[in-house]
Amino acid sequence: MKKIVAFLAAFTIVLSGCGNSNNMKESEAAPKNMSNETRNSPRLEQINSPQKKQVDISKAETNHGKTKIETLGFLEPIEAKQSIRDVQESVNDLTYVAFFSYQVNKDGSLKPIKDYAALQEVKKSKAMPMMVLTNFIDGNFSPEIAHNIFTDKTASKTLIGSVISTMKQKGYKALNIDFEHIKEKDRELYNGFLETIIPQVQKEGFKVSTALAPKTSDEQKGPWHGAHDYKRHGELADFVVLMTYEWGWSGGPPMAVAPVPQVEKVVKYATSVIPPEKIVMGAPLYGYDWTLPYKKGNKFAKRVAPAEAHDLALKEDATVKYDNESQAPFFNYKDDNGKEHVVWFENEQSAEAKNQLVKKYKLRGLAYWVLGEPFPENWTLLRDQFNITHK
C-alpha cells in the first residue's frame, strides 16, 4: 500500500503522495449521506445508517475465536521522555514498534536518530523493535538519493553493511524499507536493490518488510506509485505494509484520512498479487482540522488525535456526524475568530470498519501511523477482537 522536527509539516508533505490522486471537492466536506450523533462519552454510541446496517460487537462475542494478527506501530523518537510515554501507551498491543526513520545518505551511510531511550523501553516489553530505512531528507523523500543507492554499487554495499551493523549493535529485530517518491523508470532498479539487501538482512536472522504506496492496479503510474512493484515486493519480503492513509491530508481538501471504500480497493488489488498472510494494512491514529473555505495553498490543516478531536467537539458543543460512505466521523465548528472549521478524525466505529477489512481479507495485520496520538478506544477494540502476536 500510509504519515522530522516540525514533523507535522514534513509528515504531511511526505505522505500526501500516498493519496494525492484522491481528490474531493470542498462541498463534499459535509456529505449528505450521513447520520448525526453527539458524542457524550469516550465511546461513540452506535449510529444507525440508512445505507449500511452497523453491527455492535461486544467483548463477550469476540473473546472466542479471535483472529490472530501482527500489529505494527510507527514511532517518531524526537524527544526521549515523550518517546518513552508514546511507547508505554500502546506497546503491549504491538508486535513491532517501528522507529521512523534511519535516513540514507548518498554515500550509503546512515543518519542516526535519538532512539536509545525508546529502544530500551521496547526491549522491556513483548514487542520487537523495527528499524525503518528511508530515502527521506530535508522534509521529503529524495528520488535522487534512491537512484544513487540503486546504481552505485559501493554506496549500496556501504548501506547494507551499515544497516546490518546498526541492527546488531542497537538490538533491532526487524527492518522496514520505506523508499518513496522513486522515479518511475527506477522500478526495476529498486527491485534489484531489494533482491540484494533483503536476503542479506534475512540471513542475519531479521524479518524484512517494505512499505507500499496505495495502488489499485499495476498500471497506476507516477512518482509515488509507479516504482512500487506489489507482486515483486510480496515475493521478496517477509511481509509488506500498505500505506492506506492520507487521502485526506493537511495540504489537500477536507475529507476522511482513510476512507474505507478507497482502502478496500487497495487491499483487493494487493491480495490479487500478494498472499494475504504477507499483507499488513495501514491505519491512521489521527485526523485533521481544516479552516474553511479550503483553498489550495492555504495554511496546512492541523493534525489532531482522536481524543483531542473528541474533546474539541465537546468544548465547541459540536454535533459529530458520521459519513456512511467513507465510514468516518467529522464535525464543524467556529473558532474564536469567527472562522469555520471542519474536523475529520477516527473513532471506535471507523476503527471497527478497518478491523473488519483485516478479517474479511484474512490479512497479516495492522500498521498504525503514528504512536503518540491518543486513541484509547482503538486499543481496547483491538484487544477485544484480535489476539496479538508477540515475541
Side-chain angles (χ1 to χ4, degrees), residues 80-324:
K81 290 183 179 179
Q82 183 60 53
S83 296
I84 290 173
R85 288 193 291 269
D86 293 345
V87 168
Q88 291 172 339
E89 286 177 0
S90 54
V91 70
N92 292 329
D93 299 311
L94 296 171
T95 308
Y96 301 98
V97 175
F99 287 69
F100 189 92
S101 70
Y102 275 80
Q103 299 172 18
V104 180
N105 294 315
K106 190 175 181 180
D107 62 358
S109 60
L110 295 174
K111 182 178 179 181
I113 57 176
K114 298 177 181 179
D115 54 2
Y116 178 80
L119 262 175
Q120 301 315 304
E121 194 65 30
V122 174
K123 289 175 183 178
K124 293 189 296 185
S125 74
K126 297 183 292 183
M128 290 179 280
M130 173 182 281
M131 175 181 177
V132 181
L133 185 69
T134 69
N135 58 321
F136 193 85
I137 188 171
D138 296 331
N140 214 331
F141 287 95
S142 168
E144 290 75 25
I145 284 181
H147 180 80
N148 194 71
I149 294 297
F150 302 159
T151 56
D152 186 328
K153 291 184 178 180
T154 299
S156 179
K157 185 177 180 179
T158 298
L159 175 58
I160 296 171
S162 299
V163 167
I164 293 173
S165 63
T166 300
M167 293 182 74
K168 288 182 176 180
Q169 177 187 348
K170 295 206 170 187
Y172 282 104
K173 301 298 182 184
L175 175 69
N176 177 259
I177 302 172
D178 182 11
F179 275 31
E180 300 182 40
H181 209 175
I182 304 168
K183 297 175 182 178
E184 189 176 323
K185 65 180 182 179
D186 283 354
R187 172 180 168 125
E188 291 307 319
L189 289 175
Y190 186 27
N191 285 347
F193 170 70
L194 295 177
E195 289 165 2
T196 303
I197 186 173
I198 291 177
Q200 292 188 49
V201 176
Q202 289 172 329
K203 186 178 178 180
E204 298 296 333
F206 304 121
K207 292 283 187 182
V208 183
S209 61
T210 63
L212 290 170
K215 297 175 67 168
T216 55
S217 77
D218 194 46
E219 284 68 45
Q220 199 164 343
K221 305 300 182 183
W224 290 99
H225 306 90
H228 283 184
D229 184 341
Y230 271 43
K231 186 174 186 297
R232 192 66 184 124
H233 283 233
E235 293 168 347
L236 293 167
D238 291 295
F239 61 92
V240 301
V241 176
L242 305 182
M243 296 183 286
T244 36
Y245 35 70
E246 287 291 285
W247 275 269
W249 65 287
S250 68
M255 65 180 293
V257 172
V260 169
Q262 285 91 323
V263 172
E264 185 166 15
K265 287 178 183 177
V266 175
V267 171
K268 278 185 177 180
Y269 167 61
T271 54
S272 73
V273 292
I274 302 172
E277 63 271 18
K278 297 183 77 171
I279 297 172
V280 174
M281 187 186 83
L285 297 179
Y286 64 95
Y288 288 116
D289 179 342
W290 282 270
T291 302
L292 299 177
Y294 167 78
K295 184 179 179 181
K296 189 174 181 180
N298 277 2
K299 183 179 178 181
F300 276 21
K302 176 188 176 184
R303 192 169 85 190
V304 292
E308 183 183 0
H310 162 226
D311 292 345
L312 179 62
L314 290 178
K315 174 179 176 290
E316 300 295 338
D317 195 24
T319 299
V320 174
K321 303 173 184 179
Y322 195 83
D323 177 21
N324 293 316

